[in-house]
Amino acid sequence: MSIVADPSGGGAASRIVADATAILGDAALAASVGGKAANLARLEDFGLPVPEWLAIPCQVLQGVLAETGLEARIAARLADALASLPGAAPDPGSGDAREAAGEAGRQGEELRRAAAEIRGWIGEVAVPEAVAEAVVGAQGRMGEEEWVAVRSSAVAEDAAGESFAGIHDSFLFVRGREALLAAVRGVWASAYNDRALAYRLARGLPTSGIAVAVVVQRMIEARASGVMFTVDPTSGSVHEAVVSSLYGAGEGLVSAGFDADTFTVDKETLDIHVALAEKSERLVVDAAVGGLRREPVPAELRGLPSLTVEEVRELARLGLGLERRLGRPQDVEFAFDAAGRPWLLQTRPVTTVAELGPAAGHRLLWDNSNIIESYSGVTSPMTFSFIRHAYEIVYHCFAEVMGIHPRVVRGNRTVFDHMLGLFRGQVYYNLLNWYRLVRLFPGYHYNKQFMESMMGVREPAADGSAATAAPRAGLRRYAELPALVRLVLRSARNFLRIRRIVGDFEACFRSNYARWSAQDLRALAPHELLALYREMEDRLLWNWKAPIINDFFVMVFYGTLKRLCAAWCGDASGSLQNDLICGEGGIESTEPTKMLLALAAEARRQPELAELLSTRPPEALAAEIPADPRFGEFAAAIRRYLDLYGFRCMNELKLEEPSLRDRPAFLYQVLRNYLAPNTANTASDAAALDPALLEAREGDIRRAAEARAAAELRGRRGWLPRGPIFRWVLANARLGVKNRENLRFARTRIYGLLRELLRALGERLAGEDLLDDAQDVFYLTLDEVWDFVEGMAVTTDLRALAALRRREFDEYRANGADTARLPADRFETYGMAYHRNLFRGRRQAPAAAASGVLRGTGCCPGVVTAPVKVIRAPSDDARLAGEILVAERTDPGWVPLYPSVSGLLIERGSILSHSAIVAREMGIPTIVGIAGLSAALATGQRVRMDGAAGTVELLDRESE
């Protein structure tokens, strides 16, 4: 129940209007009855349990002060008091008043005397009769014997950034006409107490025309009470609600400081963590005197929870519903009566947290999973704009391959257009949209696990909004079965033609790529570069079906092989599966490394050349070798390598990264690594530089695995021809993995060509004085540069736009070493993704086990004991001489480093990631997916890695 006094009819409070929310909107209501009363009205509107209450609007006090002449009298007295403060007398509410407030506590005795006088004047005024009758009548309707609380409700109270909590006076256990009216005058007078005036001065709020309403509310005789925050006020976690409760009245918690139980509730699962207090005292109602009295808690109750689990969950549900309705986390006072009924006494927004969390709605789930293998660290606006567009096109092709009706694709166009996100320059999957994409295909509740495995998602989305509940078995049978049959038949047809499909794609790719790469891109005008880009998009991106079909082929046969190895061969660890896949050969991405090994072998046969390569800095070698006539043939071989593979680099799917053509010094560093003595003593130099020996080792591993599998299959009897089935699945898994790597290499080539196209465009724009530097083109997006060429740009100052982006992304790079500033690997955003979200995860993986052992997924067997070399970025020192290479992630551009190492430890990735596949081909012990790896190890630290078991033992904690 709420009451509004309307003074507009002449005289203060000449008319009483009930049901305020039906007459005033939220903003007008808060301006009339203050924040506390407005929030109580909202609680009632939401149907939540609120004790009966009424409000005396602030206009009543203002009207009383105006009619009695106290308004001018108070203003004059305050002006005199403020003038006595040190310094020039400030205008109340001005910035100078903020500075003066600091001195008020020490030298403002005159202000304190003024406040006391003003309170005395207000204490003597008469409450308007109409208001008095309304208040007394409402109290009577609550029950003649009921106690009420009389509290302030200041305008701006509980608003964002302002809180008058504890500033004004409250009066509890009030009953009877005279006591009620005295309490109302007491609340009015407290608007001018020392605390309130000091707070207003400190916050720059005016001290004239103070608007304070009064709330009168029935008191609850509480069995237990307390405060609930729908966000953790200490850690700021928006994923938890915190309930503090004790026996008796809540004043024991708020005012008396009694120990209270703490219940931390996971807002998603409603799981509860309980921290019980020894509750020795409580405040209970003293009916005889009309107040609270302190008494000991019975001994048998002191260590027990003050609320049951179900009561805590009921509170949490009420709080979550409330914060969703109000759009921000809430601080809620509550009480449970003797019958176990919950009552919400008041609510206010939590103003001390940076995030709004689920209260803001629009939940999005972000996960970088295996995409960080390709786009680690800060990724440029140009690269992100391209890959976002490429994902949209490729997954339209995927839907077509899977037989999804075009009408369904059109109806889900926002899903296809929002597959990725960018946070502080880092690329993430918009994971809920990936689940929505998979839902378009029949059998979602079965194939979503395959999607999670292929993407390297470490934990499935737990939110039910990503998918509806699993359909009943009958519904699945009659609704999904026909669609599943059609999908299986379509996939089987594609699988039977997989060699032809991949072969045709590769032939088409080679033909187009040869023609495109033969062009002098720097001779083309911007509109010609645009035409070439569109041709590449039409002929490749919109025909990216073969890689999609092959990825599905790999998913099926590689997954089936894993199950057969476990079920038929007793291989629970996955080591047999990995060993069976290695040594396939024919993987094109290993050819550049083999060519470099041949160059290193040639250098060994020329002592002068070997000496030069081993002693001169790589940057100097890049200039000296091509100019030295003694090494003409070797320089020609280097040029051939750059012609064939100069598009490659570390982070080669990031268009802004310099290629080998731009940075040939990296090539000479790799050759220098190959010629350096193996300081780790883990293998001979000859073995490290001989591709044939590497292939022979892989062949031995493969044959041993085949023999083990054959022995296991012979030992199992049954009607199924296990041997032929197993060999057929294995052959297809090997074929799919090889195709996958080769098709990825084709992708790398086209990225290299696109990089050159954009660099040519950047040079044109810089040459026309539209950009400060050709590299600035990567701080623009594809649409921005093409729209500029074609007359559709909304911002034509490309120089200023690029400079703005450069400053922003330079700040992201500068903060890259500060892990606290980096987005988590997996996090949620709410409301506007870039506003009031800190990009923090729910929990962090430990850097290392207490035993000093890190664990990941073993990909290639072998036990190595050696120091590690941690390389985090392409710009890091890449000198290697037999160490174990440690990296957060790798891509094909890292492969030339592999022959110089004795083992690979990769923080991110899966058994199908590029680093794992190529390492298996080269016989390098490898472990991937090691949580916290790069934070746990430092260059020079010795470890023992077991590539089969997937373990890394830390032998010392010191770096070089």
Side-chain angles (χ1 to χ4, degrees):
M1 172 176 56
S2 58
I3 296 179
V4 171
D6 181 5
S8 62
S14 62
R15 188 157 55 93
I16 303 298
V17 182
D19 192 9
T21 55
I23 297 168
L24 301 174
D26 280 351
L29 180 63
S32 180
V33 298
K36 182 179 288 138
N39 285 337
L40 285 173
R42 292 189 187 99
L43 292 178
E44 279 193 327
D45 285 345
F46 299 157
L48 298 174
V50 180
E52 296 92 328
W53 65 283
L54 59 92
I56 304 173
C58 61
Q59 291 90 342
V60 174
L61 173 60
Q62 292 170 331
V64 167
L65 297 181
E67 289 180 359
T68 59
L70 282 179
E71 183 177 22
R73 190 177 176 189
I74 290 172
R77 185 68 182 90
L78 283 176
D80 290 342
L82 291 174
S84 70
L85 294 175
D91 178 35
S94 70
D96 293 335
R98 295 172 185 260
E99 299 176 8
E103 297 294 327
R106 295 187 293 273
Q107 303 182 31
E109 183 60 36
E110 181 61 22
L111 181 63
R112 285 190 284 274
R113 283 197 297 269
E117 290 177 23
I118 293 170
R119 291 198 303 275
W121 300 340
I122 295 175
E124 295 175 357
V125 302
V127 177
E129 188 59 30
V131 174
E133 292 303 321
V135 171
V136 173
Q139 197 273 342
R141 288 191 295 274
M142 295 179 192
E144 292 294 336
E145 299 303 315
E146 293 285 353
W147 299 103
V148 297
V150 182
R151 295 186 173 97
S152 68
S153 182
V155 174
E157 181 174 359
D158 298 339
E162 305 293 349
S163 174
F164 285 81
I167 297 296
H168 301 132
D169 295 339
S170 296
F171 300 88
L172 306 180
F173 297 98
V174 178
R175 190 164 59 189
R177 178 186 176 91
E178 293 309 315
L180 269 173
L181 299 183
V184 169
R185 287 191 294 268
V187 170
W188 286 346
S190 72
Y192 294 91
N193 67 28
D194 300 349
R195 297 188 306 275
L197 290 174
Y199 182 83
R200 287 181 175 277
L201 288 172
R203 301 288 292 181
L205 300 173
T207 57
S208 59
I210 294 175
V212 174
V214 180
V215 169
V216 180
Q217 186 173 33
R218 180 172 67 87
M219 294 194 69
I220 300 297
E221 187 170 349
R223 172 184 60 84
S225 54
V227 177
M228 169 176 57
F229 293 91
T230 64
V231 59
D232 189 323
T234 302
S235 69
S237 172
V238 297
H239 305 296
E240 297 172 328
V242 178
V243 176
S244 295
S245 68
L246 40 57
Y247 297 120
E251 281 72 17
L253 178 64
V254 177
S255 302
F258 291 170
D259 290 335
D261 298 329
T262 301
F263 304 89
T264 303
V265 186
D266 185 291
K267 291 160 74 169
E268 185 174 299
T269 64
L270 294 186
D271 290 340
I272 302 171
H273 176 268
V274 182
L276 297 180
E278 183 71 14
K279 300 169 289 297
S280 58
E281 292 183 282
R282 63 185 175 187
L283 294 178
V284 297
V285 174
D286 189 335
V289 299
L292 295 174
R293 60 180 171 82
R294 186 182 300 222
E295 71 173 21
V297 173
E300 66 273 14
L301 296 180
R302 293 181 180 181
L304 297 179
S306 51
L307 298 176
T308 68
V309 168
E310 194 47 50
E311 285 173 340
V312 174
R313 287 193 174 132
E314 184 177 10
L315 269 180
R317 293 186 190 100
L318 291 173
L320 296 183
L322 182 59
E323 73 166 13
R324 282 194 296 270
R325 298 289 294 270
L326 296 178
R328 61 186 307 127
Q330 296 294 303
D331 167 2
V332 184
E333 292 184 22
F334 67 87
F336 280 85
D337 62 20
R341 289 174 297 187
W343 296 94
L344 303 187
L345 307 180
Q346 63 175 318
T347 187
R348 61 175 66 91
V350 179
T351 60
T352 57
V353 293
E355 296 183 283
L356 298 181
H362 188 51
R363 174 182 181 258
L364 297 173
L365 177 61
W366 306 96
D367 191 302
N368 62 15
S369 295
N370 61 11
I371 201 168
I372 200 173
E373 290 186 54
S374 302
Y375 305 102
S376 67
V378 175
T379 297
S380 73
M382 178 62 75
T383 294
F384 179 72
S385 70
F386 171 70
I387 62 175
R388 177 187 173 186
H389 183 54
Y391 269 68
E392 178 186 5
I393 293 175
V394 166
Y395 281 94
H396 270 94
C397 294
F398 181 51
E400 182 181 342
V401 166
M402 302 298 283
I404 305 303
H405 196 282
R407 182 182 65 255
V408 176
V409 173
R410 286 195 301 272
N412 289 274
R413 57 187 178 274
T414 57
V415 172
F416 290 91
D417 189 41
H418 296 80
M419 306 292 288
L420 301 177
L422 191 70
F423 292 89
R424 295 178 183 157
Q426 315 237 3
V427 181
Y428 285 81
Y429 291 127
N430 185 340
L431 198 54
L432 295 185
N433 267 0
W434 285 84
Y435 283 102
R436 293 181 183 109
L437 175 68
V438 175
R439 285 183 65 198
L440 301 181
F441 311 124
Y444 164 79
H445 299 284
Y446 309 109
N447 58 39
K448 74 183 184 74
Q449 295 179 356
F450 289 109
M451 180 209 77
E452 292 162 351
S453 176
M454 289 291 289
M455 292 174 64
V457 174
R458 284 159 293 178
E459 57 178 300
D463 191 304
S465 66
T468 55
R472 295 188 302 273
L475 183 60
R476 284 202 306 268
R477 183 181 304 115
Y478 294 110
E480 288 196 337
L481 185 57
L484 278 171
V485 169
R486 289 193 297 271
L487 176 60
V488 168
L489 292 176
R490 176 186 289 265
S491 299
R493 180 174 180 271
N494 287 332
F495 289 177
L496 291 173
R497 300 165 53 245
I498 191 67
R499 293 179 186 274
R500 178 180 173 183
I501 290 171
V502 172
D504 289 348
F505 175 85
E506 290 177 330
C508 178
F509 177 85
R510 284 192 293 268
S511 173
N512 284 305
Y513 181 79
R515 180 168 55 83
W516 293 332
S517 60
Q519 298 187 61
D520 182 0
L521 298 177
R522 284 165 175 76
L524 299 181
H527 68 276
E528 293 171 319
L529 292 171
L530 170 58
L532 177 57
Y533 169 79
R534 285 178 173 164
E535 183 183 358
M536 292 164 59
E537 182 178 294
D538 290 340
R539 298 200 176 191
L540 281 183
L541 280 182
W542 282 106
N543 288 286
W544 204 257
K545 297 181 179 65
I548 292 169
I549 293 171
N550 187 75
D551 277 350
F552 193 45
F553 183 85
V554 171
M555 183 178 75
V556 171
F557 283 100
Y558 195 82
T560 303
L561 177 63
K562 181 178 181 179
R563 287 188 174 90
L564 294 184
C565 284
W568 290 359
C569 302
D571 175 47
S573 67
S575 62
L576 177 61
Q577 178 192 23
N578 292 336
D579 293 351
L580 287 168
I581 292 295
C582 74
E584 177 66 14
I587 294 180
E588 191 176 1
S589 58
T590 63
E591 295 305 312
T593 301
K594 292 178 181 178
M595 188 172 177
L596 286 176
L597 290 172
L599 285 170
E602 176 61 28
R604 281 184 179 274
R605 290 190 286 270
Q606 300 182 52
E608 288 182 308
L609 177 58
E611 175 68 18
L612 189 66
L613 289 171
S614 300
T615 57
R616 295 289 291 153
E619 292 76 11
L621 290 169
E624 294 171 2
I625 293 292
D628 194 324
R630 294 177 298 168
F631 311 122
E633 290 187 12
F634 188 82
I638 292 288
R639 286 195 297 273
R640 284 195 300 273
Y641 183 91
L642 291 175
D643 287 340
L644 290 171
Y645 304 116
F647 58 86
R648 308 208 67 180
C649 60
M650 297 168 71
N651 288 333
E652 59 192 7
L653 298 188
K654 296 171 71 171
L655 299 172
E656 65 274 15
E657 290 291 339
S659 66
L660 280 178
R661 293 190 183 108
D662 303 310
R663 188 179 169 234
F666 178 75
L667 181 59
Y668 288 96
Q669 178 64 69
V670 170
L671 292 173
R672 186 173 181 172
N673 289 345
Y674 293 173
L675 297 175
N678 192 323
T679 58
N681 296 320
T682 55
S684 69
D685 294 335
L689 291 172
D690 190 341
L693 291 176
L694 293 175
E695 291 175 4
R697 180 178 180 276
E698 282 299 284
D700 291 342
I701 294 173
R702 177 177 173 133
R703 284 187 291 274
E706 289 172 340
R708 175 186 165 191
E712 291 285 350
L713 292 171
R714 284 194 300 270
R716 296 177 180 268
R717 299 182 179 276
W719 60 272
L720 274 177
R722 284 186 169 86
I725 292 174
F726 188 89
R727 288 190 293 273
W728 177 72
V729 170
L730 174 59
N732 281 302
R734 286 170 170 170
L735 173 64
V737 170
K738 180 177 73 174
N739 286 341
R740 189 169 185 257
E741 286 304 303
N742 289 338
L743 292 171
R744 281 183 172 184
F745 197 59
R747 180 188 64 179
T748 298
R749 287 180 184 275
I750 205 63
Y751 268 74
L753 184 58
L754 179 58
R755 177 184 293 110
E756 295 302 314
L757 184 152
L758 291 171
R759 288 183 185 278
L761 177 63
E763 290 173 7
R764 280 293 186 126
L765 295 175
E768 295 290 341
D769 200 30
L770 295 168
L771 294 176
D772 289 331
D773 186 89
Q775 278 291 109
D776 284 351
V777 73
F778 294 106
Y779 291 97
L780 306 173
T781 68
L782 273 178
D783 286 342
E784 286 166 351
V785 295
W786 298 144
D787 286 352
F788 187 89
V789 171
E790 296 210 296
M792 297 180 291
V794 295
T795 297
T796 58
D797 190 349
L798 297 184
R799 184 197 313 277
L801 186 57
L804 173 68
R805 296 255 178 81
R806 181 185 284 276
R807 286 195 298 272
E808 181 179 351
F809 279 70
D810 281 350
E811 183 178 351
Y812 295 150
R813 294 186 187 95
N815 293 332
D818 183 0
T819 56
R821 300 288 297 275
L822 291 176
D825 293 337
R826 182 185 178 104
F827 61 89
E828 292 154 289
T829 60
Y830 298 89
M832 295 183 288
Y834 295 121
H835 179 63
R836 303 205 68 165
N837 286 291
L838 299 180
F839 319 137
R840 299 184 300 189
R842 287 176 178 258
R843 47 187 172 270
Q844 298 294 327
S851 61
V853 176
L854 298 166
R855 299 185 183 277
T857 301
C859 295
C860 187
V863 177
V864 180
T865 301
V868 302
K869 179 68 173 284
V870 180
I871 297 182
R872 303 178 188 277
S875 57
D876 287 356
D877 179 5
R879 289 176 295 176
L880 291 160
E883 299 95 337
I884 296 173
L885 173 60
V886 172
E888 183 181 2
R889 32 71 60 201
T890 63
D891 62 30
W894 291 63
V895 172
L897 298 176
Y898 288 6
S900 303
V901 305
S902 55
L904 281 173
L905 300 176
I906 312 297
E907 183 165 348
R908 309 300 298 271
S910 66
I911 55 178
L912 284 179
S913 62
H914 178 83
S915 52
I917 291 170
V918 174
R920 282 198 294 264
E921 288 300 310
M922 301 180 73
I924 301 172
T926 302
I927 306 173
V928 301
I930 311 170
L933 173 69
S934 56
L937 296 180
T939 294
Q941 187 172 348
R942 289 182 63 81
V943 303
R944 179 180 295 109
M945 63 171 290
D946 186 331
T951 58
V952 183
E953 183 182 355
L954 312 185
L955 300 181
D956 63 59
R957 302 300 176 103
E958 300 296 327
S959 62
E960 287 181 340

